[in-house]
Amino acid sequence: MMVAMSPTASRDRLLGDLDEEQREAVLAPRGPVCVLAGAGTGKTRTITRRIAHLVTAGHVAPGQVLAVTFTQRAAGEMRGRLRALDDGTGTGSVQAQTFHAAARRQLAYFWPRVVGTTDWQLLDSKFAVVAQAANRSGLPTGTDNVRDLAGEIEWAKASLISPEDYPATVAESGRDIPFDAAKVAAAYAGYEALKARGNDLMLLDFDDLLLHTAAAIENDAAVAQEFRDRYRCFVVDEYQDVTPLQQRVLDAWLGTRDDLTVVGDANQTIYSFTGASPRYLLDFSRRFPDAAVVRLERDYRSTPQVVSLANRVIAAARGRMAGSRLHLVGQRPPGPNPTFNEYPDEVAEAAAVARSIKKLVESGTAPAEIAVLYRINAQSEVYEEALTEAGVPFQVRGGEGFFSRQEVRQALLALQRAGDRDTALALPELVRATLEPLGLTAEPPAGTRARDRWEALAALADLVDDEVAQRPQLDLRTLLTELRQRADSRHPPVVQGVTLASLHAAKGLEWDAVFLVGLADGTLPISHALSHGPDSEPVEEERRLFYVGITRARVHLTLSWALARNPGGRQGRRPSRFLNGIAPQSARDDGPSRSRKPRGPAPRCRVCNAPLSASAAIMLRRCETCPSDIDEQLLADLKDWRLRISKEMSVPAYVVFTDNTLIAIAESLPGDDAALVAIPGIGARKLEQFGADVLGLVRDRQKS
Ligand code: ATP
Ligand code: MG
């Protein structure tokens, strides 16, 4: 049984470890409160303490508080913190939910009274209905087209734009859209009509849950009365992400009352394209002139070095959101300076990042405390490859690994089929011709989903160019076999590995070490944002994305970019414009030679003595096509041993050693520690962990 603490003890517990401004926000009387807070300043900590304080001090009953946020993860985080603060006063029973979950619950309760006998059903996936509507309006019905159309419908509904108003609003806002606006409007109207299934059933999508909830409260005085009696105190986290539709629900909940606490950071607005708008946060004190406005500037997450860089990046921002920026003050002990590295190509960049990560892991940083963050998902491929080669476990967040992506699997199947036909085309041309019908057009298409697919196919084509540049004789059969091997060597994803994530998927998270990669102009800011003009709002949103990325790092922060995609490719890229005046000149002037590992003599094949550049070949220390002098029995023994060890350690086999490392061992038959560490992929840590075992296996085999 829980025993309530004395009032003084509770107060100390809730306020003792807060700073002055956080305490001010917690202690503000019931009524409008706005906390404008930068990244890592303790926003979530502050609002959960405020709720606990209001409940503990008896200002409000726990059942009368409704706390809302935007993702399930954030809602769960809030519930967890509230439970932890419960000292017998009921704080843990406060409702903390997403807007959608709260609306769904309320709608289920009020529906019979408001609508009567027509039943409703939640449309978990709107895909089939949108596809039908697209078809009737003469729009294409490919998977990506339907998803992009669904995205437009969601944006319009979240922004409270009707089908009739859609074309004019799109034209006015300069929004990039993938199709003809009039056709989208027709499909949107058609989609809404298709959801009404006669008199007995209505299909509701997630946005309808919000629309109907707002309407029920707005249109029915009795419903409004009952609801407002029940909930009296509202709290919203990440308020800069609110959409006009969610704001309408919030207004319906409030009525004429003003007991609302909001927390947000306009400079972390990175979801404008879904309809989120920081204007409600920025206008809060205009709407509620009595509001207590508290600014939090102490950053408890990152070192002063990381915080200073974040401040400099956001200082260059323009526009309304920039006006609300706060100068963050780092509270943690000092750490290393962020580093800036330029590379000739992405393969070199990824290899260097993998080496640094390996070093961090070997010196004791857990892989789960490290992240590689990039702008678009297709950038993951080179990092998946480099980390696999380095034997570092990883997981790709918010998406599957490159080779598991649907378009990449489709592409490999199409290439397989192309190989069955006779063709006179050179390999790079053959690949591009095969991928074109799958979506690899000359220029990237409009539409988020279609562009995503395009980027993945382009990454695959680039990868082929790279391989062919190194091995002009490469044929399709060999290429496909190698790509399959690459794909196979990558599974399975591990939970405790290094995180690979897009900047969008990294929001709200933090790691000890963060690598911000691919910081080239045209990637960040992304080219389609640049097409709106250098000072446009889309470019400003890209800058905020960069700011979100920087502020994920607690201690180590490494920023890098490459001048070309492929080794030997034209070095036509430039560092991101966001680095102007921020990256030290030296990273660029003499950057490549400074930042890259000094190169010794180029590694050569030990069979034919040709220079080696492909990472797999360097690992094997011979051309992959040169005959192998492998001891097959030893390789089998090594694999058995690896299986046993990986089971004992509960890690995937490649975490122990990759296949290529085992092959290199079985070929070079190392006799001592020095010979063992000469094999790429074996460092001090692996030597210490496995050296004795491996040398023992080699010796046993030579004796037999
Ligand atoms: P984000 O912008 O990423 O959402 P946030 O502002 O919500 O960040 P929190 O997650 O609440 O930040 O806090 C960041 C970290 O700082 C947490 O580990 C939290 O426990 C810690 N922290 C917050 N306030 C204090 C404080 N007064 N003293 C010590 N640590 C604190
Ligand atoms: Mg937070």
Side-chain angles (χ1 to χ4, degrees):
M1 204 188 90
M2 266 190 271
V3 181
M5 285 191 186
S6 78
T8 334
S10 289
R11 214 181 136 90
D12 279 356
R13 204 168 82 90
L14 293 178
L15 300 174
D17 57 357
L18 297 182
D19 66 36
E20 203 180 313
E21 292 78 22
Q22 291 173 330
R23 208 172 296 154
E24 186 189 334
V26 169
L27 292 176
R30 281 183 64 181
V33 176
C34 176
V35 179
L36 291 170
T41 52
K43 293 190 294 274
T44 310
R45 181 187 266 228
T46 300
I47 49 167
T48 45
R49 294 296 174 90
R50 175 165 169 79
I51 294 170
H53 163 71
L54 291 174
V55 167
T56 308
H59 296 306
V60 68
Q64 293 174 335
V65 183
L66 182 55
V68 273
T69 184
F70 299 87
T71 62
Q72 308 264 17
R73 192 182 60 79
E77 171 79 27
M78 251 211 263
R79 281 195 295 271
R81 295 203 199 184
L82 288 169
R83 270 197 301 271
L85 291 171
D86 196 328
D87 52 4
T89 48
T91 302
S93 64
V94 166
Q95 302 245 352
Q97 294 182 319
T98 63
F99 269 97
H100 283 110
R104 184 175 181 172
R105 215 176 129 120
Q106 290 161 20
L107 198 61
Y109 179 72
F110 290 123
W111 185 269
R113 227 188 310 162
V114 185
V115 184
T117 54
T118 307
D119 212 354
W120 67 280
Q121 200 183 325
L122 184 65
L123 194 55
D124 278 322
S125 159
K126 58 165 73 75
F127 187 90
V129 186
V130 174
Q132 212 179 336
N135 191 25
R136 291 189 187 179
S137 312
L139 285 172
T141 52
T143 311
D144 297 323
N145 304 122
V146 172
R147 285 201 204 151
D148 279 332
L149 176 60
E152 279 310 294
I153 294 176
E154 281 164 15
W155 171 76
K157 293 179 81 163
S159 308
L160 298 174
I161 296 163
S162 64
E164 300 76 57
D165 292 340
Y166 176 86
T169 316
V170 162
E172 205 177 298
S173 67
R175 182 178 169 82
D176 276 331
I177 58 165
F179 316 105
D180 173 62
K183 283 191 179 167
V184 175
Y188 173 13
Y191 165 75
E192 292 298 320
L194 282 168
K195 282 188 295 149
R197 299 278 155 104
N199 289 329
D200 303 329
L201 180 65
M202 253 163 120
L203 296 176
L204 302 188
D205 63 24
F206 283 101
D207 299 314
D208 292 329
L209 294 177
L210 297 173
L211 276 169
H212 284 272
T213 300
I217 300 177
E218 287 162 5
N219 300 333
D220 189 315
V223 167
Q225 180 70 42
E226 185 177 337
F227 179 84
R228 290 173 191 158
D229 273 350
R230 170 127 166 62
Y231 292 108
R232 303 186 174 203
C233 176
F234 299 88
V235 178
V236 189
D237 196 3
E238 306 264 8
Y239 191 49
Q240 78 279 353
D241 282 337
V242 79
T243 65
L245 172 58
Q246 286 159 335
Q247 182 63 42
R248 182 166 155 196
V249 173
L250 190 56
D251 288 339
W253 286 343
L254 278 170
T256 56
R257 302 170 300 168
D258 66 358
D259 197 346
L260 171 65
T261 300
V262 298
V263 176
D265 178 4
N267 288 297
Q268 289 189 66
T269 303
I270 56 171
Y271 280 106
S272 300
F273 63 93
T274 66
S277 168
R279 67 174 183 269
Y280 304 99
L281 175 69
L282 297 175
D283 287 342
F284 194 83
S285 54
R286 204 164 309 157
R287 173 169 172 192
F288 299 104
D290 301 338
V293 178
V294 178
R295 292 166 204 274
L296 305 180
E297 305 199 330
R298 291 189 191 86
D299 182 318
Y300 294 95
R301 175 179 296 146
S302 311
T303 62
Q305 283 75 9
V306 172
V307 169
S308 151
L309 180 65
N311 281 331
R312 276 186 291 149
V313 164
I314 208 66
R318 297 153 213 259
R320 179 142 193 238
M321 295 168 218
S324 74
R325 71 182 151 234
L326 302 168
H327 185 85
L328 296 174
V329 186
Q331 302 297 303
R332 290 182 61 125
N337 279 320
T339 58
F340 299 83
N341 300 316
E342 181 173 276
Y343 298 95
D345 57 76
E346 283 182 18
V347 178
E349 184 183 4
V353 166
R355 276 198 302 273
S356 303
I357 289 179
K358 215 169 164 187
K359 258 195 221 139
L360 280 170
V361 172
E362 281 170 357
S363 58
T365 306
E369 286 304 337
I370 302 173
V372 178
L373 307 180
Y374 37 76
R375 176 63 181 84
I376 55 170
N377 288 317
Q379 287 172 274
S380 74
E381 202 285 323
V382 273
Y383 292 91
E384 292 177 48
E385 178 65 9
L387 290 172
T388 303
E389 278 295 332
V392 176
F394 63 87
Q395 82 256 358
V396 182
R397 195 187 160 81
E400 329 90 318
F402 184 78
F403 285 106
S404 318
R405 293 178 59 157
Q406 193 204 12
E407 51 269 33
V408 175
R409 282 182 311 181
Q410 274 175 356
L412 293 182
L413 281 176
L415 286 171
Q416 178 96 51
R417 267 181 256 121
D420 296 339
R421 291 189 300 270
D422 220 14
T423 165
L425 292 176
L427 190 49
E429 282 73 52
L430 171 64
V431 167
R432 286 199 150 71
T434 310
L435 300 192
E436 197 191 309
L438 298 179
L440 186 61
T441 45
E443 289 296 317
T448 318
R449 240 328 277 177
R451 203 185 290 128
D452 235 33
R453 160 184 287 265
W454 187 91
E455 301 281 8
L457 295 175
L460 185 61
D462 280 343
L463 193 160
V464 174
D465 290 350
D466 182 18
E467 294 297 326
V468 172
Q470 292 169 25
R471 288 176 291 161
Q473 302 309 321
L474 186 66
D475 62 50
L476 183 60
R477 275 259 299 283
T478 318
L479 173 75
L480 282 171
T481 311
E482 288 182 8
L483 291 180
R484 293 246 149 70
Q485 282 169 351
R486 257 198 217 207
D488 289 346
S489 70
R490 289 201 190 156
H491 63 85
V494 285
V495 186
Q496 294 300 319
V498 170
T499 297
L500 300 187
S502 71
L503 289 164
H504 280 102
K507 185 141 181 271
L509 305 178
E510 58 181 58
W511 294 271
D512 284 339
V514 169
F515 292 80
L516 295 182
V517 302
L519 298 176
D521 227 39
T523 306
L524 187 81
I526 199 149
S527 52
H528 55 83
L530 284 171
S531 68
H532 290 262
D535 295 330
S536 60
E537 176 45 33
V539 173
E540 287 302 309
E541 183 132 330
E542 297 286 305
R543 189 195 309 279
R544 294 191 293 269
L545 206 44
F546 186 33
Y547 176 70
V548 166
I550 292 170
T551 53
R552 299 308 97 197
R554 294 194 196 106
V555 181
H556 301 276
L557 178 62
T558 306
L559 304 95
S560 60
W561 60 94
L563 299 177
R565 163 62 181 83
N566 287 338
R570 201 178 70 82
Q571 305 203 331
R573 296 184 182 175
R574 294 175 5 150
S576 168
R577 62 193 57 205
F578 301 145
L579 294 166
N580 286 344
I582 286 184
Q585 280 299 307
S586 59
R588 299 202 300 248
D589 289 346
D590 51 354
S593 50
R594 271 168 54 99
S595 54
R596 263 182 298 147
K597 194 168 136 184
R599 285 186 183 242
R604 289 182 172 271
C605 171
R606 58 195 160 77
V607 183
C608 73
N609 204 36
L612 300 174
S613 54
S615 51
I618 293 172
M619 172 78 82
L620 296 172
R621 297 197 291 137
R622 61 168 168 80
C623 303
E624 286 168 275
T625 43
C626 275
S628 156
D629 44 5
I630 196 162
D631 181 333
E632 294 290 351
Q633 184 55 49
L634 176 58
L635 182 61
D637 293 349
L638 285 165
K639 285 188 172 168
D640 285 348
W641 165 83
R642 178 179 67 174
L643 184 64
R644 192 163 45 76
I645 295 290
S646 66
K647 277 193 181 143
E648 276 170 20
M649 293 173 62
S650 306
V651 296
Y654 72 82
V655 172
V656 179
F657 281 125
T658 62
D659 280 356
N660 280 342
T661 307
L662 294 189
I663 291 172
I665 296 171
E667 284 181 345
S668 60
L669 308 174
D672 54 20
D673 284 1
L676 203 52
V677 285
I679 294 176
I682 305 184
R685 178 120 154 189
K686 292 263 162 96
L687 181 67
E688 189 187 312
Q689 273 181 300
F690 309 123
D693 276 12
V694 170
L695 292 174
L697 283 168
V698 175
R699 259 196 314 275
D700 288 352
R701 176 75 196 128
Q702 282 172 332
K703 269 189 248 154
S704 67

